[in-house]
Every structure is written in structure tokens, then in C-alpha cells.
Coordinates of all heavy atoms in Angstrom, one line a residue:
A1 N 58.8 155.2 119.0 CA 58.3 156.6 118.8 C 59.4 157.6 118.6 O 60.4 157.5 119.3 CB 57.4 157.0 120.0
N2 N 59.3 158.5 117.7 CA 60.3 159.5 117.5 C 60.1 160.6 118.4 O 59.0 161.0 118.8 CB 60.2 160.0 116.0 CG 60.6 158.9 115.0 OD1 61.4 158.0 115.4 ND2 60.2 159.1 113.8
S3 N 61.2 161.3 118.7 CA 61.2 162.5 119.5 C 61.7 163.7 118.7 O 62.5 163.5 117.8 CB 62.1 162.3 120.7 OG 61.7 161.3 121.5
Y4 N 61.2 164.8 119.0 CA 61.5 166.0 118.1 C 61.9 167.2 119.0 O 61.4 167.4 120.1 CB 60.3 166.4 117.3 CG 59.9 165.3 116.3 CD1 58.9 164.4 116.6 CD2 60.5 165.2 115.1 CE1 58.5 163.4 115.7 CE2 60.2 164.2 114.2 CZ 59.2 163.3 114.5 OH 58.8 162.3 113.6
I5 N 62.7 168.0 118.4 CA 62.9 169.4 118.9 C 62.2 170.3 117.9 O 62.4 170.2 116.7 CB 64.4 169.7 118.9 CG1 65.2 168.8 119.9 CG2 64.7 171.2 119.2 CD1 66.7 168.9 119.9
F6 N 61.4 171.2 118.4 CA 60.7 172.1 117.6 C 61.4 173.4 117.5 O 61.8 174.0 118.5 CB 59.2 172.3 118.1 CG 58.5 171.0 118.2 CD1 58.4 170.3 119.4 CD2 57.8 170.5 117.1 CE1 57.7 169.1 119.4 CE2 57.1 169.4 117.1 CZ 57.0 168.6 118.3
M7 N 61.6 173.9 116.3 CA 62.3 175.1 116.0 C 61.5 176.0 115.1 O 60.6 175.5 114.4 CB 63.7 174.8 115.3 CG 64.6 174.0 116.2 SD 66.1 173.7 115.3 CE 66.8 175.3 115.2
L8 N 61.7 177.3 115.2 CA 61.1 178.2 114.3 C 62.0 178.5 113.1 O 63.2 178.4 113.2 CB 60.9 179.6 115.0 CG 59.9 179.5 116.2 CD1 59.8 180.9 116.8 CD2 58.5 179.1 115.7
E9 N 61.3 178.7 112.0 CA 62.1 179.0 110.7 C 63.0 180.2 111.0 O 62.7 181.1 111.7 CB 61.0 179.4 109.7 CG 61.6 179.5 108.3 CD 60.4 179.7 107.3 OE1 59.7 180.7 107.4 OE2 60.3 178.8 106.4
N10 N 64.2 180.1 110.4 CA 65.3 181.1 110.6 C 65.8 181.2 112.0 O 66.5 182.1 112.3 CB 64.8 182.5 110.2 CG 64.5 182.5 108.7 OD1 65.1 181.9 107.9 ND2 63.4 183.3 108.4
E11 N 65.6 180.2 112.8 CA 66.1 180.1 114.2 C 67.4 179.3 114.1 O 67.4 178.2 113.5 CB 65.1 179.5 115.1 CG 65.6 179.3 116.5 CD 64.5 178.7 117.4 OE1 64.0 177.7 117.0 OE2 64.3 179.3 118.5
E12 N 68.5 179.7 114.6 CA 69.7 179.0 114.6 C 69.7 177.9 115.6 O 69.2 178.1 116.7 CB 70.9 179.9 114.8 CG 71.2 180.8 113.6 CD 72.6 181.4 113.7 OE1 73.5 180.8 114.2 OE2 72.7 182.6 113.4
E13 N 70.3 176.7 115.2 CA 70.5 175.7 116.2 C 71.5 176.1 117.2 O 72.6 176.5 116.9 CB 71.0 174.4 115.5 CG 69.9 173.6 114.9 CD 70.4 172.2 114.5 OE1 71.6 172.0 114.4 OE2 69.6 171.3 114.2
T14 N 71.2 175.9 118.5 CA 72.1 176.2 119.5 C 73.1 175.0 119.7 O 72.8 173.9 119.2 CB 71.4 176.4 120.9 OG1 70.7 175.2 121.3 CG2 70.4 177.6 120.8
E15 N 74.1 175.2 120.4 CA 75.1 174.1 120.7 C 74.4 173.0 121.4 O 74.7 171.8 121.2 CB 76.3 174.6 121.4 CG 77.2 175.5 120.6 CD 77.7 174.8 119.3 OE1 78.1 173.6 119.4 OE2 77.7 175.4 118.3
I16 N 73.5 173.3 122.3 CA 72.7 172.3 123.0 C 71.9 171.4 122.1 O 71.9 170.2 122.2 CB 71.8 172.9 124.1 CG1 72.7 173.6 125.2 CG2 70.9 171.9 124.7 CD1 72.0 174.4 126.2
I17 N 71.2 172.1 121.2 CA 70.4 171.3 120.2 C 71.3 170.5 119.3 O 71.0 169.3 119.1 CB 69.5 172.3 119.4 CG1 68.4 172.9 120.3 CG2 68.9 171.6 118.2 CD1 67.7 174.0 119.6
K18 N 72.4 171.0 118.9 CA 73.3 170.2 118.0 C 73.8 169.0 118.8 O 73.9 167.9 118.2 CB 74.5 171.1 117.6 CG 74.1 172.1 116.6 CD 75.3 173.0 116.2 CE 74.9 174.1 115.3 NZ 76.1 175.0 115.0
T19 N 74.1 169.2 120.1 CA 74.6 168.0 120.9 C 73.6 167.0 121.1 O 73.8 165.8 120.9 CB 75.1 168.6 122.2 OG1 76.2 169.5 122.0 CG2 75.6 167.4 123.1
I20 N 72.4 167.4 121.4 CA 71.2 166.5 121.5 C 71.0 165.7 120.3 O 70.9 164.5 120.3 CB 70.0 167.2 122.0 CG1 70.1 167.8 123.4 CG2 68.7 166.3 121.9 CD1 69.0 168.7 123.8
R21 N 71.0 166.4 119.1 CA 70.7 165.7 117.8 C 71.9 164.7 117.5 O 71.6 163.7 117.0 CB 70.5 166.7 116.7 CG 69.2 167.4 116.9 CD 68.9 168.4 115.7 NE 68.8 167.6 114.5 CZ 69.1 168.0 113.3 NH1 69.7 169.2 113.2 NH2 69.0 167.3 112.3
K22 N 73.1 165.1 117.8 CA 74.3 164.3 117.5 C 74.3 163.0 118.3 O 74.7 162.0 117.8 CB 75.5 165.1 117.7 CG 76.8 164.3 117.5 CD 78.0 165.2 117.7 CE 79.3 164.4 117.6 NZ 80.5 165.2 117.9
N23 N 73.8 163.1 119.6 CA 74.0 162.0 120.5 C 72.7 161.2 120.8 O 72.7 160.3 121.6 CB 74.5 162.5 121.9 CG 75.9 163.1 121.7 OD1 76.8 162.4 121.2 ND2 76.1 164.3 122.1
T24 N 71.7 161.5 120.1 CA 70.4 160.8 120.3 C 69.7 160.7 118.9 O 70.2 161.1 117.9 CB 69.4 161.6 121.2 OG1 69.0 162.8 120.5 CG2 70.0 162.0 122.5
S25 N 68.5 160.1 118.9 CA 67.8 159.9 117.6 C 66.8 161.0 117.5 O 65.8 160.9 116.7 CB 67.1 158.6 117.6 OG 66.2 158.5 118.7
V26 N 66.9 162.1 118.2 CA 66.0 163.2 118.2 C 66.1 163.9 116.8 O 67.2 164.2 116.4 CB 66.2 164.2 119.3 CG1 65.4 165.5 119.2 CG2 65.9 163.5 120.6
S27 N 65.0 164.3 116.2 CA 65.0 165.0 115.0 C 64.5 166.4 115.3 O 63.8 166.6 116.3 CB 64.1 164.4 113.9 OG 64.5 163.1 113.6
S28 N 64.7 167.3 114.3 CA 64.1 168.7 114.5 C 63.0 168.9 113.5 O 63.1 168.4 112.3 CB 65.2 169.7 114.4 OG 65.8 169.8 113.2
L29 N 62.0 169.6 113.9 CA 61.0 170.1 113.0 C 61.0 171.6 113.0 O 61.0 172.2 114.0 CB 59.6 169.6 113.5 CG 59.3 168.1 113.4 CD1 57.9 167.8 113.9 CD2 59.4 167.6 112.0
T30 N 60.9 172.1 111.8 CA 61.0 173.6 111.7 C 59.6 174.1 111.3 O 59.0 173.7 110.3 CB 62.0 174.0 110.6 OG1 63.2 173.4 111.0 CG2 62.1 175.5 110.6
F31 N 59.1 175.0 112.2 CA 57.8 175.6 112.0 C 57.9 177.0 111.4 O 58.9 177.7 111.6 CB 57.1 175.8 113.3 CG 56.6 174.5 113.9 CD1 57.0 174.1 115.2 CD2 55.9 173.6 113.2 CE1 56.5 172.9 115.7 CE2 55.5 172.4 113.7 CZ 55.8 172.1 115.0
K32 N 56.9 177.3 110.6 CA 56.9 178.7 110.0 C 56.4 179.6 111.1 O 55.6 179.3 112.0 CB 56.0 178.7 108.8 CG 56.5 177.9 107.7 CD 55.8 178.2 106.4 CE 56.5 177.5 105.3 NZ 56.4 178.2 104.0
N33 N 56.8 180.9 110.9 CA 56.4 181.9 111.9 C 56.0 183.2 111.1 O 56.7 183.5 110.1 CB 57.6 182.2 112.8 CG 57.4 183.2 113.9 OD1 56.5 184.0 113.8 ND2 58.2 183.1 114.9
I34 N 55.0 183.8 111.5 CA 54.5 185.0 110.7 C 55.5 186.1 110.7 O 55.5 186.9 109.7 CB 53.1 185.5 111.3 CG1 52.4 186.4 110.3 CG2 53.3 186.1 112.7 CD1 51.9 185.8 109.1
T35 N 56.3 186.2 111.7 CA 57.3 187.3 111.7 C 58.4 187.1 110.6 O 59.1 188.1 110.3 CB 58.0 187.5 113.1 OG1 58.6 186.2 113.4 CG2 57.0 187.8 114.1
N36 N 58.5 185.9 110.1 CA 59.6 185.6 109.1 C 59.0 185.5 107.7 O 59.7 185.1 106.8 CB 60.3 184.3 109.4 CG 61.0 184.4 110.7 OD1 61.4 185.4 111.1 ND2 61.2 183.2 111.4
I37 N 57.8 186.0 107.5 CA 57.2 185.9 106.2 C 57.9 186.8 105.2 O 58.3 187.9 105.5 CB 55.7 186.2 106.3 CG1 54.9 185.7 105.0 CG2 55.4 187.7 106.5 CD1 53.4 185.8 105.1
T38 N 58.1 186.2 104.0 CA 58.8 186.9 103.0 C 57.8 187.8 102.2 O 56.6 187.5 102.2 CB 59.6 186.0 102.0 OG1 58.6 185.2 101.3 CG2 60.5 185.1 102.8
D39 N 58.4 188.7 101.4 CA 57.5 189.5 100.5 C 56.8 188.6 99.5 O 55.6 188.8 99.2 CB 58.3 190.6 99.8 CG 58.8 191.7 100.7 OD1 58.1 191.9 101.8 OD2 59.8 192.4 100.4
E40 N 57.5 187.6 99.0 CA 56.9 186.7 98.0 C 55.8 185.9 98.7 O 54.7 185.8 98.0 CB 58.0 185.7 97.5 CG 57.4 184.8 96.5 CD 58.5 183.8 96.0 OE1 59.7 184.0 96.3 OE2 58.1 182.8 95.3
E41 N 56.0 185.5 99.9 CA 54.9 184.7 100.6 C 53.7 185.7 100.8 O 52.5 185.3 100.6 CB 55.4 184.2 101.9 CG 56.3 183.0 101.7 CD 57.0 182.6 103.0 OE1 57.3 183.5 103.8 OE2 57.2 181.4 103.2
R42 N 54.0 186.9 101.2 CA 52.9 187.9 101.4 C 52.1 188.1 100.1 O 50.9 188.2 100.1 CB 53.5 189.2 102.0 CG 52.5 190.1 102.5 CD 53.1 191.4 103.2 NE 53.8 191.0 104.4 CZ 55.1 191.0 104.6 NH1 55.9 191.3 103.6 NH2 55.7 190.7 105.7
N43 N 52.9 188.3 99.0 CA 52.3 188.5 97.7 C 51.4 187.3 97.3 O 50.5 187.4 96.5 CB 53.3 188.8 96.7 CG 54.0 190.2 96.9 OD1 53.4 191.0 97.5 ND2 55.2 190.3 96.3
N44 N 51.8 186.1 97.7 CA 51.0 184.9 97.4 C 49.9 184.7 98.4 O 49.4 183.6 98.5 CB 51.9 183.7 97.4 CG 52.8 183.7 96.2 OD1 52.5 184.3 95.1 ND2 54.0 183.1 96.3
R45 N 49.5 185.7 99.2 CA 48.4 185.7 100.1 C 48.6 184.7 101.3 O 47.7 184.2 101.8 CB 47.1 185.3 99.4 CG 46.9 186.0 98.0 CD 46.1 187.2 97.9 NE 44.8 187.3 98.5 CZ 44.4 188.4 99.0 NH1 45.1 189.5 99.0 NH2 43.2 188.5 99.6
E46 N 49.9 184.5 101.7 CA 50.2 183.8 102.9 C 49.7 184.6 104.1 O 49.9 185.8 104.1 CB 51.6 183.5 103.0 CG 52.2 182.7 101.9 CD 52.1 181.2 102.1 OE1 51.8 180.7 103.2 OE2 52.3 180.5 101.1
D47 N 49.1 184.0 105.0 CA 48.7 184.7 106.3 C 48.9 183.8 107.5 O 49.4 182.7 107.3 CB 47.3 185.2 106.2 CG 46.3 184.1 106.0 OD1 46.6 182.9 106.2 OD2 45.1 184.4 105.7
Y48 N 48.6 184.3 108.6 CA 48.9 183.6 109.9 C 48.1 182.2 109.8 O 48.7 181.2 110.2 CB 48.4 184.4 111.1 CG 48.6 183.7 112.4 CD1 49.9 183.7 113.0 CD2 47.6 183.0 113.0 CE1 50.1 183.0 114.2 CE2 47.8 182.4 114.2 CZ 49.0 182.4 114.8 OH 49.2 181.7 116.0
I49 N 46.9 182.2 109.4 CA 46.1 181.0 109.4 C 46.7 179.9 108.5 O 46.9 178.8 108.8 CB 44.6 181.2 109.1 CG1 44.0 182.2 110.0 CG2 43.8 179.9 109.0 CD1 43.9 181.7 111.5
K50 N 47.1 180.4 107.3 CA 47.7 179.5 106.3 C 49.0 178.9 106.9 O 49.3 177.7 106.8 CB 47.9 180.2 105.0 CG 48.4 179.2 103.9 CD 48.4 179.9 102.6 CE 48.8 178.8 101.5 NZ 48.8 179.4 100.2
L51 N 49.9 179.7 107.5 CA 51.1 179.3 108.0 C 50.9 178.3 109.2 O 51.6 177.3 109.3 CB 52.0 180.4 108.5 CG 52.5 181.4 107.4 CD1 53.2 182.5 108.0 CD2 53.3 180.7 106.4
M52 N 50.0 178.6 110.0 CA 49.7 177.6 111.1 C 49.1 176.3 110.6 O 49.5 175.3 111.2 CB 48.8 178.3 112.2 CG 49.4 179.5 112.9 SD 50.9 179.2 113.7 CE 52.1 180.1 112.6
N53 N 48.3 176.4 109.6 CA 47.8 175.1 109.0 C 49.0 174.3 108.4 O 49.0 173.1 108.5 CB 46.8 175.4 107.9 CG 45.4 175.7 108.6 OD1 45.1 175.2 109.6 ND2 44.6 176.5 107.9
E54 N 49.9 175.0 107.8 CA 51.1 174.2 107.3 C 51.9 173.6 108.5 O 52.4 172.5 108.3 CB 52.0 175.2 106.5 CG 51.4 175.6 105.2 CD 52.3 176.6 104.5 OE1 53.5 176.8 104.8 OE2 51.8 177.2 103.5
N55 N 52.0 174.3 109.6 CA 52.6 173.7 110.8 C 51.9 172.5 111.3 O 52.5 171.5 111.6 CB 52.8 174.8 111.9 CG 53.8 175.8 111.5 OD1 54.7 175.7 110.7 ND2 53.6 177.0 112.2
L56 N 50.6 172.6 111.3 CA 49.7 171.4 111.7 C 49.9 170.2 110.8 O 50.0 169.1 111.2 CB 48.3 171.8 111.8 CG 47.9 172.7 112.9 CD1 46.4 173.2 112.8 CD2 48.1 172.0 114.3
E57 N 50.0 170.5 109.5 CA 50.2 169.4 108.5 C 51.5 168.8 108.7 O 51.7 167.5 108.6 CB 50.0 169.9 107.1 CG 48.6 170.3 106.7 CD 47.7 169.2 106.9 OE1 48.0 168.0 106.5 OE2 46.5 169.4 107.4
L58 N 52.5 169.5 109.1 CA 53.9 169.0 109.4 C 53.8 168.1 110.6 O 54.3 167.0 110.6 CB 54.9 170.1 109.6 CG 56.3 169.7 110.0 CD1 56.9 168.9 108.9 CD2 57.1 170.9 110.3
I59 N 53.1 168.5 111.6 CA 53.0 167.7 112.8 C 52.2 166.4 112.5 O 52.6 165.3 112.9 CB 52.2 168.4 113.9 CG1 53.1 169.6 114.4 CG2 51.8 167.5 115.1 CD1 52.4 170.5 115.3
K60 N 51.1 166.5 111.7 CA 50.4 165.3 111.3 C 51.2 164.3 110.6 O 51.2 163.1 110.8 CB 49.1 165.7 110.5 CG 48.0 166.3 111.3 CD 46.9 166.7 110.3 CE 45.9 167.6 110.9 NZ 44.9 168.0 109.9
K61 N 52.0 164.9 109.6 CA 52.8 164.0 108.8 C 53.8 163.3 109.6 O 54.0 162.1 109.5 CB 53.5 164.9 107.7 CG 54.5 164.1 106.9 CD 55.3 165.1 105.9 CE 56.4 164.3 105.3 NZ 57.4 165.2 104.8
E62 N 54.5 164.0 110.5 CA 55.5 163.3 111.3 C 54.9 162.4 112.4 O 55.5 161.4 112.7 CB 56.4 164.4 112.0 CG 57.2 165.2 111.0 CD 58.2 164.3 110.2 OE1 58.8 163.4 110.8 OE2 58.4 164.6 109.1
T63 N 53.7 162.7 112.8 CA 53.1 161.9 113.9 C 52.5 160.6 113.3 O 52.7 159.5 113.9 CB 52.0 162.7 114.6 OG1 52.6 163.9 115.1 CG2 51.3 161.8 115.7
Y64 N 51.9 160.7 112.1 CA 51.1 159.5 111.6 C 51.8 158.8 110.5 O 51.4 157.7 110.2 CB 49.7 160.0 111.2 CG 48.9 160.6 112.3 CD1 48.6 162.0 112.3 CD2 48.5 159.8 113.4 CE1 47.8 162.5 113.3 CE2 47.8 160.4 114.4 CZ 47.5 161.7 114.4 OH 46.8 162.3 115.4
N65 N 52.8 159.3 109.9 CA 53.5 158.6 108.8 C 54.8 158.0 109.2 O 55.6 157.6 108.3 CB 53.7 159.6 107.7 CG 52.4 160.0 107.0 OD1 51.4 159.3 107.1 ND2 52.4 161.2 106.4
Q66 N 55.1 157.8 110.4 CA 56.4 157.2 110.9 C 56.2 155.7 111.0 O 55.4 155.1 111.4 CB 56.9 157.8 112.2 CG 57.2 159.3 112.0 CD 58.4 159.6 111.1 OE1 59.3 158.8 111.0 NE2 58.3 160.6 110.2

């Protein structure tokens, strides 16, 4: 089973996260966050529900396709 560190889009990796990733098989998953939505995404009708659905799809992909 894989282990993950969950991060938000545009969040910098801390030294702790870098060390954990370097010394283990832990991967990071980056989630979208409504506060980081770009003008282009907003113009393409991105909203909170759509972003959260994308996050759920990422979790499903990583959980069931490994």
C-alpha cells in the first residue's frame, strides 16, 4: 500500500516533507484549493464543487489504480 502526504496547490514543500519523501516511499498528492483559483479557471466556470470533484478523482485514481 502506498502512503501519501497531501498538499495544497501552491503550497511549498517544507524541509520535513522533503526529508520524509527522500527517506521513504511516501508520495505527495497535490489538491486544488478555491483560494488559488486563477482568472482563467474562473473564466472557464471552475467553482468549489468542480475543484473538489477533481480532488476526489485524484484520490480515487491513486487509491484504486496502484
Side-chain angles (χ1 to χ4, degrees):
N2 290 338
S3 298
Y4 298 97
I5 295 173
F6 299 97
M7 299 181 60
L8 294 175
E9 193 173 58
N10 297 326
E11 178 180 50
E12 285 192 42
E13 276 191 345
T14 64
E15 288 303 315
I16 294 171
I17 292 172
K18 289 177 186 177
T19 301
I20 291 170
R21 289 186 63 213
K22 180 180 175 184
N23 295 305
T24 67
S25 62
V26 171
S27 300
S28 62
L29 291 179
T30 303
F31 290 127
K32 293 193 172 211
N33 184 335
I34 194 70
T35 60
N36 296 333
I37 195 168
T38 65
D39 289 335
E40 182 180 347
E41 289 170 325
R42 191 175 294 108
N43 290 339
N44 289 331
R45 318 264 310 146
E46 299 275 344
D47 62 12
Y48 180 80
I49 301 298
K50 186 170 182 177
L51 294 177
M52 294 305 107
N53 281 329
E54 289 176 12
N55 290 339
L56 286 172
E57 290 303 316
L58 177 62
I59 292 170
K60 287 179 191 176
K61 176 184 170 201
E62 293 299 323
T63 301
Y64 299 114
N65 291 335
Q66 294 296 324

